[in-house]
Amino acid sequence: MAKPQSSYLVCLAFSLVFNLLLISKLYVGREWELSWSRRAAEEAEYVAAISCSGHGRAYLDGLTLDGKEPVCECNSCYGGPHCSEFLTGCAANADSGDPYFLEPFWMQHASKSALVVAGWHRMSYTFADQSYISAELERHIRKLHAIVGNAVTGGKYIVFGAGSTQLLNAAVHALSSHNSSSSSSPASVVASIPYYNLYQMQTEFFRSTDYVFRGDASLLQNISDATNVIEFVTSPNNPDGQLNKANVQGPNAKAIYDRVYYWPHFTAIPTPANDDIMIFSISKLTGHAGSRFGWAVVKDESVFQKMTMYTLINSMGISRDAQLRALKVLNVVLEGGGKDIFEFGYNTLRKRWEKLSNILSVSNRFSLQKFAPKYCTFFKKTRGPSPAYAWVKCEREEDKDCYAVLQEEANVYGRRGSHFGAEDRFVRLTLLRSQDDFDLLLQRLNQLVLEESHRNAILSTI
């Protein structure tokens, strides 16, 4: 009687093993058994694997050689088919705020941040609830602010925009029309020098009868009719990294806080911001400037409605693809409470700032903005500066155009102080670009300072 029982056990064991294999095939195997997405995944990995000698990138949407092989797009001062040739006479690019410094982070998190999107993804103008924003993305944004502790979102509304750029003017429109019923004069739009020049450019470009750009906030007292005032406050400031506050006070003064740099990789977070209008974007948070996605945290419902209507009329909402990518990268940011990306970003910028400061510290000709160590509630420690930009001043009386001095004597180009409403004795140098760009910037500045020291040594012997 033992033999039938033994056969039964063997059959049962075989059945269990067979079913486990089927389950494994069905559920675990899905990770590698692709169907329609296989070709897209292979193309993406193939293009991403093109090294371009470490001095450039190939892209799926880039140019191709003979319609087949993707062409390398080289970093500044590199050329050739594989970006292997250094262009010795090339100027060091310290102008734009392209946040390439975060590119290595995303390469380290390639599998978690990659996207494969079906050709039929979100073809409608709206989501299923007839809204233009992803409820899941909004939830992630609120969660991120709570974890980082850089903004209060409870009891407030969130507006999505095409980067911070669209939202800045949406806020001006909302606040100026909000006040137009109580005043026949256009609202005065101001900002404290040095300020991000897009504020002036956009305000003047749209030429609205509801608002006019008046320049420096400190000159407001010279304006004959300043009943309604809209002040742009950039905190941390672009270009000098200072944690600014509104200068204009009063019942008819409204502030738009541009807080795109208010993240732990750029500044210590002393306390959650709790302003009436706060604007953020993934451009500086994650480095995905090309996705053009930003959001505003708004206290007043009427202002929220007007900003929302502005974005709908202007662009019928924000790209569903941009929202999907933002959701994907924010998922990565939220892993581990955001520490991975913020520690990476902070350490990168801190080291860059220290290297640049050390070079210019031995110069009597150039000076940098000053920062005091601050306690950061996110990192739970006192930390040093890690600004996005160096705000350089030429100290010599004859060096009235610092941009020209750096361009002519060091072959470095930044951004003139007059672009920020300041004197041209100042120039902004970016710390955000690729390591290639930053290394070349350091090399050129170091050579310039060495030449200064050499001249001073010669003069001291005369």
Side-chain angles (χ1 to χ4, degrees), residues 13-145:
F14 178 80
S15 177
L16 288 171
V17 170
F18 181 74
N19 280 283
L20 284 172
L21 287 172
L22 285 177
I23 292 171
S24 174
K25 177 88 170 173
L26 181 63
Y27 293 100
V28 180
R30 281 181 179 177
E31 295 183 6
W32 56 270
E33 281 202 351
L34 305 177
S35 56
W36 59 267
S37 63
R38 180 190 296 276
R39 180 177 176 182
E42 289 174 347
E43 287 177 349
E45 290 218 27
Y46 172 73
V47 173
I50 300 173
S51 71
C52 300
S53 303
H55 302 297
R57 293 283 175 264
Y59 298 99
L60 279 171
D61 59 353
L63 296 174
T64 57
L65 184 64
D66 298 326
K68 296 178 181 179
E69 187 72 18
V71 174
C72 285
E73 298 181 17
C74 302
N75 295 345
S76 300
C77 298
Y78 283 88
H82 306 289
C83 304
S84 58
E85 301 170 16
F86 179 69
L87 310 176
T88 54
C90 177
N93 181 358
D95 178 25
S96 78
D98 283 331
Y100 288 122
F101 78 104
L102 286 172
E103 188 180 57
F105 173 84
W106 293 108
M107 294 178 71
Q108 294 168 16
H109 295 77
S111 62
K112 293 180 179 179
S113 59
L115 270 177
V116 177
V117 183
W120 56 91
H121 172 76
R122 295 289 182 194
M123 295 177 67
S124 171
Y125 285 109
T126 63
F127 288 89
D129 60 359
Q130 300 305 303
S131 74
Y132 290 84
I133 70 171
S134 162
E136 184 66 4
L137 179 53
E138 179 181 343
R139 187 181 70 82
H140 276 60
I141 288 171
R142 292 182 186 274
K143 182 179 179 182
L144 179 62
H145 283 303

Side-chain angles (χ1 to χ4, degrees), residues 77-285:
C77 298
Y78 283 88
H82 306 289
C83 304
S84 58
E85 301 170 16
F86 179 69
L87 310 176
T88 54
C90 177
N93 181 358
D95 178 25
S96 78
D98 283 331
Y100 288 122
F101 78 104
L102 286 172
E103 188 180 57
F105 173 84
W106 293 108
M107 294 178 71
Q108 294 168 16
H109 295 77
S111 62
K112 293 180 179 179
S113 59
L115 270 177
V116 177
V117 183
W120 56 91
H121 172 76
R122 295 289 182 194
M123 295 177 67
S124 171
Y125 285 109
T126 63
F127 288 89
D129 60 359
Q130 300 305 303
S131 74
Y132 290 84
I133 70 171
S134 162
E136 184 66 4
L137 179 53
E138 179 181 343
R139 187 181 70 82
H140 276 60
I141 288 171
R142 292 182 186 274
K143 182 179 179 182
L144 179 62
H145 283 303
I147 288 174
V148 175
N150 67 335
V152 175
T153 63
K156 296 184 178 182
Y157 305 91
I158 290 183
V159 186
F160 289 178
S164 63
T165 305
Q166 184 185 39
L167 292 167
L168 291 169
N169 198 253
V172 172
H173 163 77
L175 292 178
S176 60
S177 60
H178 194 63
N179 291 327
S180 61
S181 59
S182 60
S183 175
S184 58
S185 301
S188 298
V189 180
V190 297
S192 293
I193 294 174
Y195 55 77
Y196 181 39
N197 68 329
L198 183 69
Y199 304 149
Q200 179 176 356
M201 291 172 62
Q202 276 204 141
T203 305
E204 293 177 344
F205 177 82
F206 288 109
R207 299 180 183 178
S208 172
T209 57
D210 289 334
Y211 52 81
V212 60
F213 190 77
R214 300 286 189 184
D216 187 11
S218 66
L219 302 178
L220 190 64
Q221 57 188 359
N222 298 324
I223 298 175
S224 58
D225 185 359
T227 305
N228 297 318
V229 179
I230 300 170
E231 182 180 3
F232 280 114
V233 184
T234 317
S235 186
N237 193 33
N238 175 5
D240 61 12
Q242 304 301 319
L243 290 173
N244 289 346
K245 294 183 179 180
N247 284 318
V248 185
Q249 304 296 326
N252 294 318
K254 307 294 182 183
I256 301 168
Y257 273 82
D258 183 346
R259 291 199 177 272
V260 296
Y261 296 95
Y262 197 52
W263 298 101
H265 37 13
F266 298 114
T267 181
I269 307 295
T271 185
N274 195 19
D275 314 299
D276 289 353
I277 301 178
M278 300 177 285
I279 295 175
F280 300 87
S281 79
I282 65 169
S283 298
K284 299 305 187 286
L285 165 59

